[in-house]
Amino acid sequence: MFKLAIVLALACFAHSLPTQESETRNVQIITRAQWGARAPNSRTTLATPVPEVIIHHSFSPGACWSQSACATAMRSMQNHHMNTNGWADIGYNFAVGSDGLVYEGRGWTTQGAHAPAVNSRSIGICLIGNWSTTSPPAVQLTATQNLINMGMSNGRIQRAHWLRGHRQVTATDCPGNTLFNTIRSWPNFRA
Ligand SMILES: [Zn+2]
């Protein structure tokens, strides 16, 4: 009887969990193969769940509003990061387009190259576009939050993580004033 009560209590608790479990199903990830990624030159495993999420904007390339335009932006960023910066791969773990789709970068289990001080302890998410004076569309913001919820659900991001903008760990304007002001109101934002 006691065991049954516990099971019932747990079932009720699970049932009343916040929307993040259902939002996880709304994340549509465009794989590396789907956007035409090059193979990485090397990889370092990321220890998960990570305690931090770092938000970026691309600045350039600008916003992309279709899967084909975002795939082009991803290839452009990857080429720049590998050819010009000499990195092993595109720097971000994930990117999000104004089409509301998530684009796989290094993914959940490979250390990124996006914020040197915290690469080994964070997931770096880039909202493709320049968000200094304009805001990403709601679908892009929602997709980003859903991706973070997915990371918590699948054990890659700590539930008590810190969410920060790139400018808080590196001298940069990234992720742009407008986007930075938006993420200040998000759960887990750490001043
Ligand atoms: Zn950045």
Side-chain angles (χ1 to χ4, degrees):
M1 193 60 201
F2 182 63
K3 270 184 184 166
L4 179 63
I6 290 176
V7 168
L8 284 173
L10 284 174
C12 288
F13 176 69
H15 222 73
S16 65
L17 276 177
T19 51
Q20 65 196 20
E21 305 299 338
S22 60
E23 283 171 354
T24 294
R25 292 195 289 271
N26 296 333
V27 178
Q28 193 181 343
I29 295 184
I30 304 303
T31 65
R32 295 173 64 91
Q34 286 175 297
W35 60 262
R38 294 158 61 183
N41 288 330
S42 64
R43 71 177 292 272
T44 301
T45 298
L46 180 65
T48 61
V50 295
E52 291 201 44
V53 173
I54 303 296
I55 300 295
H56 302 264
H57 71 162
S58 60
F59 185 75
S60 175
C64 56
W65 299 82
S66 68
Q67 188 176 332
S68 65
C70 292
T72 300
M74 290 297 286
R75 292 192 298 270
S76 161
M77 289 192 287
Q78 187 187 35
N79 285 334
H80 185 73
H81 291 174
M82 293 177 77
N83 302 351
T84 306
N85 298 359
W87 298 345
D89 192 359
I90 189 170
Y92 309 113
N93 296 91
F94 293 94
V96 183
S98 296
D99 56 356
L101 300 178
V102 172
Y103 293 80
E104 179 186 27
R106 299 196 186 192
W108 295 118
T109 59
T110 299
Q111 182 176 312
H114 57 93
V118 293
N119 283 331
S120 66
R121 48 179 275 128
S122 66
I123 289 288
I125 304 173
C126 174
L127 283 79
I128 302 169
N130 174 0
W131 309 120
S132 300
T133 58
T134 56
S135 176
V139 290
Q140 190 168 8
L141 297 170
T142 301
T144 304
Q145 293 189 291
N146 288 348
L147 177 67
I148 294 169
N149 288 335
M150 180 189 210
M152 289 191 286
S153 295
N154 68 16
R156 299 306 185 186
I157 298 172
Q158 292 181 17
R159 297 240 172 225
H161 65 274
W162 290 6
L163 176 86
R164 297 200 282 177
H166 187 190
R167 63 175 60 182
Q168 293 173 275
V169 293
T170 309
T172 172
D173 285 338
C174 182
N177 283 341
T178 304
L179 176 55
F180 184 65
N181 283 333
T182 297
I183 68 169
R184 292 169 84 131
S185 67
W186 285 10
N188 297 70
F189 178 81
R190 179 80 179 195

